Amino acid sequence: DMFTWDNENFVFHIDPSSWLVNFINDQGLENDIIDNFREIVNSKVEPNFNLEKGEIIFKLATGDNDSENGIKISKGEESIFIWSIFYSILLAAIENLDMEVEDRTTGYFDNLKYIIIDDPVSSIDDSKIVAMAVRLFETINKSKAKLKFLITTHHALFYNVLFNSFKRNTKEYNFKPLILTKKDKKYE
């Protein structure tokens, strides 16, 4: 709900007065978001931010001055871009919580205890889903913060990559995979 796509002008909108835009500005996360997006998308599509207006315009970088600005991205690229924003915030949260309180760049996450990630892989192809799942596991694995994660998905591949990563890792987790099933008109 935080983002809307303007199909006529090929502009991705976000409320410029939202906490998200303020946090991106305060922490200087634009380049982190772009890097995270590029790592997953693995293409020449690049976002350009104008957070004062609450606009993100995508371009196709050609390596010269003839870059094509204002292109329409796919639904999968849109999902990856939104994931890149929240993943960058997740990294900032973990990085801050791993520091001593007096060394933190923000107090925004001081009371954070839970991270809930609700199916971030909608409309994304399988190779990118694997990359996202592996990066998410690595991020959780390297965190020293005592955060609890709840990750939901309906995508079997995303689930399996995360499940196998946690099961095979030597670090102790209180890892509990759950599957929602319907039995006699009741969910278990």
Side-chain angles (χ1 to χ4, degrees):
D1 293 347
M2 299 184 92
F3 305 94
T4 56
W5 184 258
D6 177 350
N7 280 315
E8 290 182 28
N9 298 307
F10 304 131
V11 175
F12 206 46
H13 291 280
I14 183 170
D15 179 3
S17 63
S18 71
W19 72 270
L20 187 59
V21 169
N22 290 330
F23 188 77
I24 291 168
N25 275 328
D26 290 347
Q27 297 298 304
L29 292 180
E30 295 96 331
N31 288 332
D32 293 338
I33 294 166
I34 292 168
D35 290 344
N36 287 322
F37 178 73
R38 279 191 203 149
E39 255 183 68
I40 297 170
V41 171
N42 197 20
S43 76
K44 294 182 180 188
V45 174
E46 292 183 4
N48 284 329
F49 292 86
N50 183 338
L51 294 177
E52 283 183 18
K53 290 183 174 181
E55 295 180 348
I56 299 128
I57 297 172
F58 293 86
K59 70 178 184 175
L60 187 60
T62 58
D64 55 23
N65 292 333
D66 295 330
S67 295
E68 188 175 334
N69 285 311
I71 63 168
K72 173 80 167 110
I73 59 173
S74 71
K75 187 67 176 158
E77 289 167 329
E78 182 180 321
S79 293
I80 292 169
F81 180 70
I82 293 169
W83 169 251
S84 297
I85 291 172
F86 287 102
Y87 183 71
S88 296
I89 292 169
L90 173 63
L91 291 174
I94 289 172
E95 181 179 296
N96 271 273
L97 292 172
D98 284 352
M99 295 179 189
E100 296 297 325
V101 174
E102 61 275 2
D103 296 330
R104 295 179 182 171
T105 61
T106 181
Y108 197 81
F109 305 111
D110 288 352
N111 296 318
L112 186 64
K113 295 178 184 174
Y114 303 97
I115 303 288
I116 299 171
I117 300 170
D118 183 22
D119 206 11
V121 295
S122 176
S123 303
I124 300 173
D125 69 63
D126 288 351
S127 65
K128 292 173 177 58
I129 288 172
V130 170
M132 289 172 67
V134 167
R135 289 183 76 207
L136 179 57
F137 169 75
E138 289 171 349
T139 299
I140 293 169
N141 189 45
K142 74 178 182 181
S143 171
K144 294 177 231 151
K146 296 189 188 297
L147 294 170
K148 294 180 181 173
F149 288 81
L150 173 63
I151 304 166
T152 64
T153 188
H154 68 276
H155 198 282
L157 179 61
F158 185 72
Y159 173 84
N160 282 325
V161 171
L162 284 173
F163 177 86
N164 289 322
S165 296
F166 280 108
K167 281 298 189 187
R168 160 174 75 228
N169 194 280
T170 57
K171 184 176 176 181
E172 276 193 38
Y173 293 98
N174 185 7
F175 173 67
K176 192 181 294 182
L178 302 171
I179 297 175
L180 181 65
T181 58
K182 189 174 183 180
K183 191 176 189 177
D184 298 326
K185 298 183 181 181
K186 292 183 181 180
Y187 288 102
E188 297 179 356

